[in-house]
Amino acid sequence: MGSISKSNILVIGFGGIGTVAAYNLEAGGLATVTGVMRSNYDLVKERGFYIYSFDHGEIPSWRPTQISKTIPNASDGSVSAFDYIVVCTKNIPDIPPTVVDLIAPAVTPGHTAIVLLQNGVNIEKPVIAAFPQNVVLSGVSRMSSAEISPGRIFNQSHDILILGPFRNPNLEKKKELEVARHFCDLYNAAGKATGEYNEEVDFIRWRKLCYNASYNSLCAITGMDTSRLRLAEFPVHELLLPVIFEIKRIARALGVHLVPDQEDATLAGDAIDDYFRPSMQQDIEKDNFMELEVIVGEPVREAQRLGVPAPTLSLIYSLLKALQARTKMRKGLIDLPPMKKFEGAEEIMKKFQPKST
């Protein structure tokens, strides 16, 4: 028997979601993964990832077939053309590099399919504009997974990845559907995770936005996990529900009709005893940048464009921008003038100096 031809896949971003997705793709035996890592490259090269997976069990040491610190250049012949690029990084357009700039060296025009396994809405627009002849797929993850320390992944729920094509007007829809179904088959090959094919990309993304714009944002702002936010009770009625209702109204104005009881499903998205810390809360705790633009900024801009009132969402957007600005200051991306000096009070003033990173 001849050997099975494997799909050549580049995975960029090895946090809680990206690591489990990459492992699952290789576990199916139909894909070879090249992983791009930065901060944890040396650690993973030396001892691999430790993964506790809800679906695959305990994996004490794993690394992709190939690992790299930089994005491979597919145009210089040093690597074979990638069939898929799976982008699992945070989508933070206000912090360079953008997704387009990041993946550009690895994209083979007309061949490489780009899978955006990222949060938010309107994320496909700059990618399709930059790569008009390439299929772009939406990947929406519904698992809870986090990198609890460098190289250690804790995945506490079943891996469900909802896949479908973003509509690219430059391509035949038939081709987009075929590519999406093929990637779904790759994801299901291990028989552990669930790759769910769904063409209703806008519906799926706005449905998840109900969770991310509410829980993800408010956990980041308050420092409370999803369970504590619910157990406090008043945030449910005064913050979570108003945000969800506003997201539903914006989606409806765009022609996306979420189910009537979407707010109930969203509120119960995590079990009350999960004490889950969503990604933006984890980012704040680690002094990392948040995906606030694609999760909250884009819905706010759509609301403004369509004339849909979104007062709670707009306030939350302003608060998140302030937190993002604080992180930028701590990382030296915003220049601050030196603090005023008070002669004779140097020792006292040291207590008021901003902490350096």
Side-chain angles (χ1 to χ4, degrees), residues 153-167:
I153 307 297
F154 179 50
N155 161 220
Q156 62 192 94
S157 67
H158 178 53
D159 180 3
I160 301 174
L161 182 60
I162 306 174
L163 294 153
F166 286 115
R167 186 70 190 100

Side-chain angles (χ1 to χ4, degrees), residues 232-301:
E233 295 186 1
F234 77 88
V236 173
H237 303 287
E238 296 181 20
L239 294 168
L240 289 168
L241 282 174
V243 170
I244 297 169
F245 290 143
E246 289 172 15
I247 289 292
K248 287 178 69 175
R249 286 195 292 268
I250 300 165
R252 189 181 306 117
L254 288 165
V256 179
H257 297 279
L258 301 176
V259 295
D261 62 347
Q262 182 61 57
E263 56 274 14
D264 296 327
T266 299
L267 289 176
D270 296 316
I272 197 65
D273 56 355
D274 273 356
Y275 297 95
F276 181 65
R277 293 154 46 248
S279 60
M280 286 204 289
Q281 181 183 1
Q282 295 180 47
D283 289 334
I284 282 288
E285 293 170 352
K286 296 175 182 177
D287 255 350
N288 290 336
F289 296 115
M290 299 178 291
E291 297 179 287
L292 66 96
E293 293 297 339
V294 297
I295 290 176
V296 182
E298 282 298 315
V300 167
R301 285 185 280 274

